Amino acid sequence: MHLFTKPARWATAAACGLLALAALPASPASAAGAEAGGAPAVPARYAQQRLDWQPCRTGALECASMTVPRDWYHPGTGADLTVAVSRHRAADPAARRGVLMMAAGGPGASGLGRPAGPAAYSPKVAAAYDIVGFDQRGVGASTQVLCSDQDTVDALFTSGDLRDRSRRAVDATVDRARNFVRDCERRSGDLLPYITTDQAVHDMDLFRALLGESKVSYYGPSYATLLGAYYATEFPRRVDRVVLDSNIGFTGSWQKFLTGQPMSFQRRFEQDFLPWLAANDATYHRGRTAEEAKASYERLRRTLSDTPSTWRGRRSPPTTSTPPPPPSSTAATASPNWRRCSMYWSTPRRLRRPLAEPWPRN
């Protein structure tokens, strides 16, 4: 069970930005010794394991699993965990530069299939790098955190109208969150303290060592920017080139970041997307001004409130004040994400036949 069902977001910035940083000095490939900064040493039973690569169940990737301690700071305590890993080998061994490690955002998204994206859309990257990914501990094919069934998880985001700020509506939202936490504690309480960014970066470094690499390059979007920055801070001599795409705020709390994120989405919607939609009224027919386009959105929202759409077996009531945010590219660019969103807006009477794929999200 995945905590969240979100489609993967693939940005060409991954390929374009790969060469952003110069290489740092090399360090030994062994994971047995601790790096400066207090990182725990890796017991031999983890450092000496071998990855048994087999074809993944889908796609052109290879998959394996590695065993990691529940607690890197007390590796002899508690049952071990499993972390699922994947790779796409460099297409040109003679030009191979090294390993590009990718991680998923969320937190909570699956990263196991991520290497397939750049392997397909960026032949130069695929030729020069073994592209590897993983499901972070607690997620997907790795040892999972189990909380509630998927319908209960979805209800956290799709129950009621989140514009409703009445006491009754706010209390209902808080109650759903509390019940969800209770479910997590009941089913995975002994695991939850170890599903952290700190523990995850030590999993990543074990993966690096088992690949036989002294350092890795890295690409991560959204939450994975925090993961990558944390890894580079913990293991500064074990990173080569790093791309952090769509950064989250590093200086405040996670709560502060999540509180501010919707405001940035709202700005993108009002200041960038609506003017773009109006400028392309000849294509999408949503209004020739930003005001007309916004009114069109409100009409669609009311329609969905009266008659919810079904998408891939799930009802989609209007729980948000804006559609999914446009990508973090130049506002004037008519990106596929914006076109896809606009096409969806343009077919309110045919919502039972949605686009083949939704617009990407982290």
Side-chain angles (χ1 to χ4, degrees):
M1 190 276 289
H2 295 278
L3 290 181
F4 305 100
T5 51
K6 294 183 180 179
R9 176 186 176 211
W10 292 111
T12 54
C16 298
L18 182 61
L19 305 181
L21 298 179
L24 298 174
S27 63
S30 172
E35 177 150 321
V42 181
R45 68 179 182 275
Y46 304 112
Q48 295 176 7
Q49 63 184 303
R50 296 289 182 267
L51 296 175
D52 181 19
W53 294 106
Q54 301 292 333
C56 297
R57 284 182 290 181
T58 58
L61 304 180
E62 295 178 293
C63 287
S65 61
M66 65 180 188
T67 300
V68 302
R70 177 174 296 249
D71 182 358
W72 275 100
Y73 297 93
H74 302 91
T77 303
D80 289 336
L81 308 183
T82 297
V83 172
V85 298
S86 63
R87 74 176 176 185
H88 183 280
R89 284 184 174 271
D92 186 356
R96 183 181 180 276
R97 177 182 172 84
V99 167
L100 169 62
M101 184 178 292
M102 306 186 70
S110 171
L112 200 63
R114 295 257 162 161
Y121 66 62
S122 183
K124 290 184 179 180
V125 173
Y129 287 90
D130 289 348
I131 309 172
V132 303
F134 59 96
D135 274 350
Q136 193 170 329
R137 55 169 59 203
V139 173
S142 296
T143 300
Q144 292 184 348
V145 168
L146 299 176
C147 293
S148 304
D149 60 82
Q150 192 63 55
D151 288 342
T152 302
V153 175
D154 290 345
L156 289 168
F157 308 96
T158 60
S159 295
D161 187 340
L162 296 185
R163 284 184 179 178
D164 186 350
R165 294 297 188 267
S166 68
R167 180 62 180 268
R168 180 178 179 181
V170 171
D171 286 348
T173 298
V174 172
D175 287 343
R176 284 191 295 271
R178 284 176 174 161
N179 290 336
F180 178 70
V181 171
R182 290 192 190 103
D183 287 343
C184 293
E185 291 176 335
R186 177 175 54 85
R187 301 185 66 183
S188 301
D190 61 335
L191 181 59
L192 292 178
Y194 308 103
I195 307 301
T196 66
T197 300
D198 180 45
Q199 297 284 346
V201 298
H202 291 92
D203 297 344
M204 292 164 59
D205 197 57
L206 177 62
F207 187 20
R208 171 203 60 79
L210 296 180
L211 291 169
E213 298 292 326
S214 62
K215 60 176 67 174
V216 292
S217 293
Y218 179 85
Y219 169 78
S222 190
Y223 160 74
T225 63
L226 179 61
L227 197 64
Y230 203 116
Y231 180 82
T233 300
E234 187 77 3
F235 304 103
R237 295 193 296 273
R238 297 176 186 173
V239 292
D240 185 357
R241 301 179 178 191
V242 176
V243 174
L244 305 179
D245 175 14
S246 307
N247 292 45
I248 68 165
F250 296 113
T251 57
S253 67
W254 190 252
Q255 179 66 39
K256 181 179 179 181
F257 165 70
L258 290 180
T259 301
Q261 188 180 49
M263 293 186 286
S264 65
F265 289 169
Q266 190 72 31
R267 285 195 300 272
R268 294 297 315 275
F269 174 65
E270 294 179 351
Q271 298 176 16
D272 297 334
F273 181 73
L274 290 178
W276 176 87
L277 189 62
N280 289 274
D281 182 59
T283 300
Y284 301 111
H285 312 294
R286 295 292 92 195
R288 290 178 291 181
T289 67
E291 292 74 15
E292 290 176 353
K294 187 173 183 178
S296 173
Y297 166 71
E298 294 295 338
R299 288 193 296 272
L300 176 58
R301 193 176 190 278
R302 287 192 295 271
T303 298
L304 287 173
S305 180
D306 295 337
T307 310
S309 171
T310 299
W311 191 337
R312 296 181 175 180
R314 299 184 185 277
R315 289 165 68 86
S316 53
T319 59
T320 57
S321 61
T322 65
S328 55
S329 56
T330 304
T333 301
S335 75
N337 292 359
W338 287 22
R339 289 193 294 269
R340 193 181 295 269
C341 185
S342 303
M343 288 169 64
Y344 192 70
W345 280 23
S346 299
T347 56
R349 297 184 183 278
R350 290 176 288 161
L351 291 177
R352 297 182 185 83
R353 300 177 59 193
L355 299 171
E357 291 292 334
W359 46 87
R361 299 195 217 179
N362 281 336

